[in-house]
Amino acid sequence: YFWQGVKYTLLLSVVSVAIAVIPALLLALMRLSKNRIVRSLAGAYIAVFRSTPMLVQLYIVYYGLFGPSGITIPSFYLFGYINIAQFFPGVVALALNSAAYVAEIFRGGILAVDKGQMEAARSLGLTQWQGMRLVVLPQAIKAILPALANELVTMVKESSICSVIGMMELMWGAKTVTTSSYVPLGPYVFAAVIYFCINFPASKAIEAIERRMRRGDKQ
């Protein structure tokens, strides 16, 4: 159960963050737009998802968007243990929540690029979008990647909330072992150790990458 839960948790986290990248980039560009309505819409989305509990969002997506009167997902198993009918709503809920945070990461990375870069791109005849895509975004990646990796580490922990809808991730495995063994504490301590063994080395690796990427920066 624990080994199966680890695989499920990692897959759930990676897929959720990967899906969140596209709407997050769109939200970041909307937040930087000169149109006040567009900025307000993006700001409202970010405010709602950052100011409400993820558990509530998960319930709304699972029981509302994908409930009996919503979108129907066929129930079949991927790799023998991943139920798509549960996995897909969980990914959508986590991705919608993560997009609100990743959008701010993108926005911060874009703002970290000197404004003169866009002005230089426009002076060379590039459009606003071409300057953003070809000049600003490639430079912003340096600031974005470490923070995006941190979001992935955070998602590994946050994905544990999906156990409440029966997704067979790590916390679900701990609950199952607790129920079948009548040992109330041990399985949860073991799950905590597994989360630590995943996230602590990943955090240290991210710090090493950040230090390496800052080597060329001016002090």
Side-chain angles (χ1 to χ4, degrees):
Y1 282 128
F2 283 113
W3 173 237
Q4 179 177 295
V6 168
K7 294 187 291 183
Y8 203 120
T9 294
L10 292 177
L11 181 63
L12 180 63
S13 304
V14 171
V15 173
S16 298
V17 173
I19 292 177
V21 166
I22 301 301
L25 180 57
L26 178 61
L27 287 168
L29 295 176
M30 290 172 66
R31 287 272 283 162
L32 296 171
S33 173
K34 296 179 180 178
N35 189 312
R36 185 162 60 176
I37 296 177
V38 172
R39 285 201 313 271
S40 299
L41 289 174
Y45 177 96
I46 292 171
V48 168
F49 278 89
R50 293 183 68 171
S51 303
T52 55
M54 186 181 289
L55 179 60
V56 175
Q57 299 167 17
L58 177 62
Y59 280 148
I60 290 174
V61 171
Y62 186 69
Y63 293 109
L65 183 60
F66 294 95
S69 58
I71 301 171
T72 301
I73 303 295
S75 182
F76 67 93
Y77 285 84
L78 188 66
F79 307 127
Y81 62 93
I82 297 178
N83 186 352
I84 295 299
Q86 291 177 325
F87 183 79
F88 189 74
V91 165
V92 170
L94 293 176
L96 289 174
N97 180 275
S98 181
Y101 293 90
V102 177
E104 292 298 280
I105 293 173
F106 278 125
R107 188 172 72 93
I110 293 171
L111 291 176
V113 179
D114 191 277
K115 292 182 179 180
Q117 297 294 315
M118 178 58 79
E119 294 173 0
R122 296 303 301 274
S123 68
L124 292 173
L126 299 179
T127 64
Q128 185 80 15
W129 167 240
Q130 288 174 328
M132 179 65 68
R133 180 170 58 89
L134 300 175
V135 179
V136 176
L137 284 179
Q139 296 181 67
I141 289 176
K142 184 177 182 181
I144 290 170
L145 280 181
L148 193 59
N150 276 317
E151 176 63 18
L152 178 58
V153 171
T154 300
M155 186 58 68
V156 171
K157 296 180 292 183
E158 297 291 345
S159 64
S160 63
I161 202 169
C162 290
S163 64
V164 300
I165 59 172
M167 294 182 71
M168 300 166 65
E169 46 75 63
L170 185 53
M171 275 303 298
W172 180 90
K175 289 180 181 179
T176 303
V177 173
T178 296
T179 303
S180 60
S181 66
Y182 301 102
V183 178
L185 183 60
Y188 293 114
V189 172
F190 188 55
V193 171
I194 294 175
Y195 278 117
F196 180 84
C197 291
I198 294 172
N199 291 324
F200 184 75
S203 299
K204 290 300 179 183
I206 293 168
E207 291 177 9
I209 294 172
E210 286 183 285
R211 287 195 298 270
R212 186 173 184 84
M213 295 178 72
R214 287 199 302 264
R215 281 182 181 177
D217 294 347
K218 293 181 180 180
Q219 301 299 327

